[in-house]
């Protein structure tokens, strides 16, 4: 018999006492246990309000807390345990209380008819003592189990009341965009902890270490205590427009930041990195200076300092984000044609490159998706040439396949050599996993074979250099065949050769596995059989190669320059390779949108004025009209005044020339003096 039934047998049933000033006051009687003499404590051992010498006042008229559960919970030495989980069970208390009341009434009626009051009181005391001793032994283990079972019962009642269980969350492909970026994967420590453990990653860091307080929490980088104190450098972001579910943003430079930008451009033209270091001493969070100095440190093999400067640039730009700008939604756009936005693209790309070299391909993949989501249609840095490589390295085969299936219709990803070979490789690697059903494994293997054969027919010039990279010698039938012979590589258009060199220089090591090579060899022989049989797809692909790959667009050239892969850089056309490429803005778009223009400075070096350069070397005080050394600015070019100043300088120079007669013997050196020893 439960406590509730015994209490009702003694006439202590709730709701039967008259309401009055002391109706809600529970007075402790003599027949109660000794454990109730001490004031009760709530969860965590705290004493509830209103607990005094006279008793415990519980205001429970509206049953916000279920007293029956509190009384039935086990206690140790008069203290209540912390596993009552009252807050978690509050939503189901009312429904459970109603059902228990009906059951308790039935039990009470049966007990009144069967058991005399005196016997019930005596048996109740004995059972209380036994239960008390039992609770002392099992309180520690049973309290948590009772709490968990209580939550399970609540969930079961909710499901039974609704008639059916709630549907589970929709799959990833149904609720998330293909370019959706997850915040937790933007932190490389998350990936490194999965590989090496938290202790190896954190090292000697102490959680109690006092660090400098920064203005806001950031997702892209973690501020370091060694960085200069952050002060707003004059960089901000504004919302341009919102249309069709997408929002266009743009970074803005204040007047002070514009002056710093002009000083930076002058420092770059001086070709002296120390000038940029001096600029960073006064403006420690100027983004372009940080990126340019990062390249200089990287060329000097100081990778740690180069990565630190890029992280500081990202932190400066993230602090300037608009409140509506989202890194993860994939709906925010930044126009690359605006010079203020390019710094963010380049900072993300450099950070992604450092993460890949550091051994964090999963984090680098998130950065790649983030760059692509900023302008997916134009793709100014051509991240589609890199995304498949990072997906394979991170073993995100399902994501790569999903991207190919969703974008093939409107982006023709199969026309890029990297996707043409990476997608069947993803299918094949997926078929090698043992935790999938046999039907899915066989389907993935068939799909991989079909796609790799199409890729070999479309790009036959990839096979021979791929085998050379992998140090594999092809058999005689493949090497002697005209389709995969040397002519296949030589006859490729220049733009296609550039794409093939970029893909092989970056992803060739993914094909070195023996199982992958045997699968590739099997499909190469099937392609040769189709070629010998006169398959019409072979001629169609050959004509398509001649038409599509005549010249690569500017974004591919920009990607090749940033990738720094020697084979791909060597394949750049001469008009691109002869240009001066600046680290803070490589190959800017031809249709750049300027929000402000740098004041023109008529420098003789930049304008190629050979005569002015000659006179400047002779007369250091000579200046061209419109150029003032004291202010560094530039006025309007007055050609007539500049020509007059040039003529006056020429006259002064000619007037100061003195010619000596070389035939007159010098008096200080008489003839015959001095001999050769």
């Amino acid at each position: 018999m439960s406590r509730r039934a015994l209490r009702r047998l003694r006439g202590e049933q709730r709701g039967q006492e008259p309401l009055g000033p002391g109706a809600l006051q529970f007075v402790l009687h003599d027949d109660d246990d000794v454990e109730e003499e001490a004031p009760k404590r709530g969860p965590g051992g705290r004493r509830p309000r209103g607990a005094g010498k006279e008793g415990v006042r519980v205001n429970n008229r509206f049953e916000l807390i279920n007293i029956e559960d509190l009384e039935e919970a086990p206690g140790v030495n008069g203290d209540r345990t912390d596993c009552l989980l009252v807050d978690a069970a509050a939503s189901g208390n009312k429904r459970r209380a109603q059902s228990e009341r009906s059951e308790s009434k039935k039990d009470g009626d049966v007990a009144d008819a069967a058991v005399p009051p005196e016997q019930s009181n005596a048996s109740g005391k004995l059972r209380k003592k036994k239960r008390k001793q039992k609770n002392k032994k099992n309180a520690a283990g049973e309290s948590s189990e009772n709490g968990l079972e209580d939550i399970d019962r609540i969930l079961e009642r909710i499901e039974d009341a609704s008639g059916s269980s709630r549907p589970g969350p929709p799959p990833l492909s149904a609720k998330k965009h293909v370019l959706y970026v997850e915040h937790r994967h933007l932190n490389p420590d998350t990936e490194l902890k999965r590989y090496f453990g938290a202790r190896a990653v954190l090292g000697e860091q102490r959680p109690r270490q006092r660090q400098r307080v920064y203005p806001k929490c950031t997702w892209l980088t973690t501020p370091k205590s060694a960085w200069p104190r952050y002060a707003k450098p004059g960089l901000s972001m504004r919302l341009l427009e919102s249309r069709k579910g997408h929002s266009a943003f743009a970074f803005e430079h204040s007047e002070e930041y514009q002056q710093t930008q002009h000083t930076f451009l002058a420092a770059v033209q001086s070709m002296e990195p120390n000038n940029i270091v001096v600029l960073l001493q006064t403006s420690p969070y100027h983004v372009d200076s940080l990126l340019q100095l990062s390249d200089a440190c990287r060329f000097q093999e100081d990778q740690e300092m180069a990565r630190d400067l890029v992280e500081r640039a990202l932190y400066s730009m993230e602090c300037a984000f608009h409140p509506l700008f989202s890194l993860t939604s994939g709906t925010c756009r930044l126009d690359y044609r605006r010079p203020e936005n390019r710094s963010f693209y380049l900072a993300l790309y450099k950070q992604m490159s450092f993460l890949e070299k550091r051994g964090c391909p999963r984090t680098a993949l998130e950065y790649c998706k983030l760059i692509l989501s900023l302008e997916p249609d134009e793709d100014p840095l051509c991240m589609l040439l890199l995304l498949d490589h990072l997906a394979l390295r991170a073993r995100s085969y399902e994501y790569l396949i999903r991207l190919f299936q969703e974008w093939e219709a409107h982006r023709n990803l199969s026309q890029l050599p990297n996707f043409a070979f990476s997608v069947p490789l993803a299918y094949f690697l997926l078929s090698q996993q043992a935790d999938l059903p046999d039907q899915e494994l066989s389907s993935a293997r068939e799909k991989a074979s079909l796609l790799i054969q199409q890729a070999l027919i479309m790009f036959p010039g990839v096979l021979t250099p791929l085998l050379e990279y992998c140090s594999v010698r092809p058999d005689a039938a493949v090497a002697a065949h005209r389709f995969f012979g040397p002519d296949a590589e030589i006859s490729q258009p220049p733009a296609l050769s550039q794409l093939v060199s970029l893909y092989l220089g970056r992803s060739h090591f993914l094909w070195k596995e023996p199982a992958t090579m045997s699968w590739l060899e099997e499909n190469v022989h099937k392609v040769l059989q189709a070629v010998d049989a006169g398959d019409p797809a072979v001629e169609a692909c050959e004509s398509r190669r001649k038409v599509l790959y005549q010249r690569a667009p500017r974004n591919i050239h920009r990607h090749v320059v940033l990738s720094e892969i020697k084979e791909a850089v060597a394949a750049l056309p001469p008009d691109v390779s002869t240009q001066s490429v600046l680290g803070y803005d490589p190959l800017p778009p031809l249709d750049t949108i300027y929000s402000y223009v740098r004041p023109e400075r008529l420098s003789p070096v930049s304008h190629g004025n050979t005569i002015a350069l000659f006179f400047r070397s002779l007369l250091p005080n000579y200046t061209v009209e419109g150029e003032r050394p004291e202010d560094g600015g530039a006025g309007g070019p007055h050609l007539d005044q500049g020509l007059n100043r040039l003529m006056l300088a020429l006259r002064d120079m000619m007037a100061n020339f003195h010619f000596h007669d070389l035939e007159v013997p010098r008096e200080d050196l008489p003839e015959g003096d001095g001999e050769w020893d």
Side-chain angles (χ1 to χ4, degrees), residues 25 38 55-56 122 125 134 153 162 216 218 246 249 315 320 341 357 374 424 427 439 454 495 528 571 671:
Q25 179 177 357
V56 181
K125 290 182 180 180
K134 184 178 181 180
R153 288 199 303 269
S162 61
K216 63 183 296 186
T218 55
H246 300 97
F249 296 86
Y315 177 75
N341 296 340
K357 295 176 182 178
L374 296 177
Y427 272 110
Q439 184 177 0
Q454 295 177 358
L528 290 180
E671 221 176 290

Side-chain angles (χ1 to χ4, degrees), residues 569-589:
V569 174
L572 286 172
D575 58 338
V576 177
S577 58
T578 55
Q579 294 183 15
S580 60
V581 179
L582 302 176
Y584 68 93
D585 191 9
L587 298 180

Side-chain angles (χ1 to χ4, degrees), residues 415-450:
Q415 304 304 314
L416 295 174
N418 58 313
F419 268 93
F421 282 87
S422 294
V423 173
L425 181 59
Y427 272 110
F428 173 74
L429 295 176
L430 193 63
S431 66
Q432 299 297 308
Q433 297 181 358
D435 55 346
L436 295 178
D438 296 338
Q439 184 177 0
E440 294 184 8
L441 294 179
S442 60
S443 176
R445 183 66 178 262
E446 293 177 0
K447 188 69 174 179
S449 301
L450 177 62

Side-chain angles (χ1 to χ4, degrees), residues 73-91:
V76 180
N77 296 330
D79 295 339
R80 308 197 65 83
T81 60
D82 297 341
C83 301
L84 297 177
L85 301 177
V86 177
D87 296 334
S91 61

